[in-house]
Structure formats: C-alpha cells, structure tokens
C-alpha cells in the first residue's frame, strides 16, 4: 500500500509530499486514514533542528481520522471508528502501571525518535526506512500507523476535522488546569501566553469555575480572543515593567494558580513570587534545553508554594479526550475558535504561519 506523506529530509526545513510504502502493520498497530492534523510547537522545534530526530522523518502529532484496519491483537477499535491520535507510551513501566502515561519512562524515545521501540519503522521511502512513528503517529500523511495505546475512539457525531488538536496542544492546556493544577470554583488563575495551549487553559479555567482568569499575552488579537473565551482580565507583559507587582495588584494578594506556557525563565520567576499562600505554578514550555528558573527557598517554604512540571496535561487520553470532546459538543469548550484550516499541500506555509504567530492553531485537512 502506497500513500502520500510529508517528508522532512536532512538540511532543510521544507517538507515535500512524497509516496511512502506501508511495509508491515504489527499485531498491536492501527492503520488510520488521516482526516486532519493540527500543528503543535514540537513539530516546529524538530523541523528547525532544535532537538535531534533521525531523518527522513514524517512529523505531525495531532491527527484525527477513521480506522482503516487493525492488527490481529487489536480489539479496542475497529475499521470505520472515528479516532483522535494522542501521544504514545510503553504500557508497562512504573508510570504506566500507575496510570500516568504522560510520564512513561520511555516517553522520549517512543514519541520523539520517529521509530518504534525497537528502532524499526512501518514505512519505507524508495525502499529505505522513513521515520513514521513520531508521537506514535506521524500524521502529516494520508495514513498513519498508530499503536493501540494512542488511538482514542471519539463519538461519531463530532466533527473529526476539528478534533486532532485535542490529542496534544488542547489536552496539554486543559489538562494542566483541570488535572495537574486541580483548578476549582473560586480559584484565581493567571495564564502566561495565549497560544493554543494557553487559550485551552483559559477555556478550561472557565469550565472549572475559576473566579478570576488573567491572560498575559503580548498579541492584542489574542488578548481579545482570550476575553471572548473566558478571561476576566488581560495584560500585555511587554508594556508591564513590573509583572510581579501587577499580578499582585490585579489578584489582590496573589494567584492560587499560575500556568506558564511562555517558557521564559524571567517570566516564570516573576510569576512564582506572585503566588498566594499554597499557590502552585505549572510549567509546560522551555526555550532552551538548559533553561533554568530561580526559586527563592524562604518564600517557597513559608508560603507553601509549589512548582509543577507538566507533560501532556497529566492526561489519560482515553478518558480526557472524550471528556473534552463532550464539552466541545455542548458548546462549553469552543476549541474551534483557535483553529484555521489549510490544505495538505500548504503544510509548510501552515508551520511558518504558526511559527510567526499569525495563527493560533493551524489544522491541515488531508482531503
Ligand atoms: Zn504537541
Ligand atoms: Zn511506560
């Protein structure tokens, strides 16, 4: 079986659509006809060579589609089912055994090597292996070879083309607020950065009943969108010389929760000291592999403040994605407001547009 996929080769940041061949589908794998795929920051970081990943490679890790066929050991889904593809995990390490797949001990190699655990790939390009398992899916492609663990069945009446981003960026932002940081009614929350993850966090904070939802974001259009999605206050950090003082003033004594999506160490530092007693700050982003923040020991101890590193919103995808899709279908979580659709042939443009902040969440439609 041959199909088109977007190939990233050495020494270029342009992807070319070429025909790949499905060499084999293992017993625990699922072949999915991709309907759409969102673009998430990790796609751009790998494209730009910020983290090593063997090429040629097919990126894309927010796929949604329809199951085409399944390996002999798969009973979870069947041909014709609508699915969202999420991150993958090993299923048998201490974190997986503890139902915390986002902290799978094999998360790095399984999701960012582009290969299966044993280093092989289901796909070949001109007879040579091509990385076809990025985040267990490589969905910038007409078909994706997923693993039974990272296919999430979704309700049949949901618009599939809008659901791919629920598999990573949306899950990360919403999960950080609802799962990792346990937002509850009446909490005051500040969210740093109004990209796809930050705005998903805004919608989740509204869903949780937070009484104050501040969005700090330099882009005026995104601040406006934040207000429409549930933010009660917005600030432009670039025109706020003393961020900590401003946060303390707006919250009248500190935030219960601060969620940083900027990855800027100075911003994390400023936020941490604007936490109320017992406040918690969640982080999901970094600019460099050696980025570091400063934590004052005295105030951390005496005020019981805490710092949470968060991967994939602490989500169990099989449970959390259907929950968010239900909220979306009921109009309580309007994630489509973040999206702009592109044709598959315009994939490079879509990545550039996200990289340059022109669009919050580009979604590639495969047909
Ligand atoms: Zn992602
Ligand atoms: Zn594991």
């Amino acid at each position: 079986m041959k199909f088109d996929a977007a190939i990233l080769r050495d020494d270029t940041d342009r992807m070319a659509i070429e025909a790949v061949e499905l060499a084999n589908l293992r017993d625990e794998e699922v072949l999915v006809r991709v309907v759409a795929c969102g673009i998430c920051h990790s796609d751009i970081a790998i494209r730009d060579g910020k983290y090593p990943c063997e090429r040629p490679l097919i990126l894309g890790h927010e796929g949604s589609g329809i199951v085409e066929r399944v390996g002999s050991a798969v009973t979870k889904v069947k041909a014709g089912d609508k699915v969202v593809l999420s991150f993958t995990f090993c299923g048998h390490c201490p974190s997986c055994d503890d139902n915390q797949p986002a902290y799978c001990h094999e998360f790095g190699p399984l999701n960012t090597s582009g290969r299966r655990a044993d280093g092989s790939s289901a796909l070949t390009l001109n007879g040579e292996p091509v990385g076809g398992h990025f985040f267990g899916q490589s969905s910038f492609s007409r078909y994706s070879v997923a693993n039974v663990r990272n296919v999430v069945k979704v309700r049949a009446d949901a618009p599939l083309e809008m659901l791919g981003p629920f598999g990573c960026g949306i899950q990360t932002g919403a999960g950080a607020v609802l799962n990792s940081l346990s937002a509850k009614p009446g909490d005051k929350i500040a969210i740093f950065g109004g990209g796809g993850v930050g705005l998903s966090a805004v919608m989740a904070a509204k869903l949780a009943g937070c009484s104050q939802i501040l969005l700090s974001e330099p882009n005026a259009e995104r601040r406006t969108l934040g207000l429409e999605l549930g933010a009660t206050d917005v600030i432009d950090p670039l025109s706020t010389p003393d961020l900590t003082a401003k946060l303390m003033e707006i919250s009248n004594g500190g935030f219960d929760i601060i969620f940083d999506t900027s990855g800027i160490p100075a911003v994390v530092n400023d936020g941490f000291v604007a936490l109320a007693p017992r406040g918690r700050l969640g982080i999901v982003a970094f600019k460099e592999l050696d980025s570091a923040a400063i934590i004052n020991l005295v105030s951390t101890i005496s005020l019981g403040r805490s710092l949470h590193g968060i991967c994939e919103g602490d989500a169990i995808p099989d449970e959390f994605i259907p929950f968010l899709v239900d909220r979306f279908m009921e109009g309580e979580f309007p994630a489509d407001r973040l999206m702009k659709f592109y044709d598959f042939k315009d994939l490079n443009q879509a990545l550039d547009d996200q990289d340059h902040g022109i669009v919050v969440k580009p979604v590639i439609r495969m047909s």
Side-chain angles (χ1 to χ4, degrees):
M1 178 182 177
K2 277 195 167 189
F3 50 86
D4 283 346
I7 308 296
L8 183 66
R9 294 178 183 276
D10 286 329
D11 303 324
T12 176
D13 65 358
R14 300 293 97 180
M15 288 172 266
I17 296 176
E18 299 182 47
V20 296
E21 187 144 18
L22 175 64
N24 56 71
L25 189 73
R26 289 190 176 171
D27 293 349
E28 74 284 5
E29 290 177 334
V30 178
L31 183 68
V32 175
R33 180 169 64 80
V34 179
V35 167
C37 183
I39 294 172
C40 190
H41 185 73
S42 308
D43 296 311
I44 294 171
I46 301 262
R47 177 198 73 170
D48 293 347
K50 285 202 165 177
Y51 319 113
C53 193
E54 191 181 346
R55 303 183 189 195
L57 170 70
I58 304 163
L59 292 169
H61 67 288
E62 289 188 346
S64 60
I66 296 168
V67 174
E68 182 80 8
R69 61 187 162 96
V70 300
S72 61
V74 176
T75 56
K76 179 181 170 183
V77 292
K78 61 182 186 311
D81 283 349
K82 288 183 169 182
V83 292
V84 167
L85 305 180
S86 192
F87 63 91
T88 194
F89 49 96
C90 80
H92 50 70
C93 71
S95 289
C96 288
D97 286 346
D98 204 23
N99 229 358
Q100 292 284 347
Y103 304 102
C104 173
H105 291 213
E106 299 300 318
F107 188 96
L110 283 177
N111 287 287
T112 60
S113 73
R115 305 294 173 123
R116 294 181 179 121
D118 64 3
S120 68
S121 177
L123 305 182
T124 59
L125 174 66
N126 303 325
E128 298 295 323
V130 54
H133 300 273
F134 184 63
F135 275 78
Q137 52 178 290
S138 287
S139 289
F140 292 159
S141 174
R142 299 225 182 260
Y143 287 86
S144 164
V145 177
N147 188 283
V148 65
R149 293 189 188 90
N150 71 316
V151 291
V152 177
K153 189 176 170 180
V154 290
R155 53 195 273 183
D157 61 341
L160 256 187
E161 64 180 17
M162 295 178 182
L163 301 190
F166 285 72
C168 188
I170 289 174
Q171 166 171 268
T172 295
V177 171
L178 298 174
N179 302 329
S180 323
L181 298 165
S182 310
K184 60 183 190 307
D187 277 346
K188 296 177 183 179
I189 182 170
I191 293 150
F192 296 167
V197 175
L199 290 171
S200 297
V202 168
M203 293 188 287
K206 185 181 180 196
L207 208 54
C210 294
S211 60
Q212 185 171 34
I213 305 169
L214 174 130
L215 175 66
S216 174
E217 160 61 44
N219 179 307
E221 274 180 42
R222 293 184 181 198
R223 289 199 299 274
T224 301
L225 181 56
L227 287 167
E228 290 168 8
L229 294 175
T232 57
D233 303 84
V234 289
I235 58 172
D236 175 3
L238 300 183
S239 62
T240 306
D242 188 340
L243 183 62
T244 303
K246 187 72 178 172
L247 293 170
M248 286 306 238
E249 176 200 321
I250 290 177
S251 61
N252 194 22
F255 283 93
D256 302 301
I257 297 172
I258 294 179
F259 177 50
D260 178 73
T261 72
S262 77
I264 301 168
V267 172
V268 172
N269 291 337
D270 287 350
F272 196 72
V273 289
L275 285 171
R278 298 186 298 133
R280 29 211 202 278
L281 187 145
I283 52 173
V284 290
F286 51 85
K287 294 285 185 203
E288 306 295 338
L289 289 174
D290 60 354
S291 290
I294 299 163
I295 300 299
N296 176 274
L297 301 189
V298 175
S299 68
T300 303
I301 294 163
S302 61
L303 298 176
R305 290 168 169 159
S306 57
L307 179 68
H308 292 240
I310 299 169
C311 185
E312 296 286 348
D314 286 338
I316 300 168
D318 276 329
E319 297 172 10
F320 194 57
I321 291 173
F323 165 80
L324 287 179
V325 171
D326 283 347
R327 302 287 83 71
F328 169 63
M329 293 300 284
E330 286 157 22
E332 302 168 343
F333 190 84
D336 54 315
R337 296 287 312 276
L338 313 183
M339 299 176 194
K340 181 180 171 190
F341 293 93
Y342 293 75
D343 292 339
F344 191 22
K345 66 179 172 49
D346 299 322
L347 176 64
N348 288 310
Q349 184 66 49
L351 267 88
D352 289 344
D353 286 357
Q354 197 202 31
D355 196 20
H356 299 141
I358 294 168
V359 57
V360 175
K361 177 56 75 178
V363 178
I364 306 300
R365 275 196 282 234
M366 295 300 162
S367 53

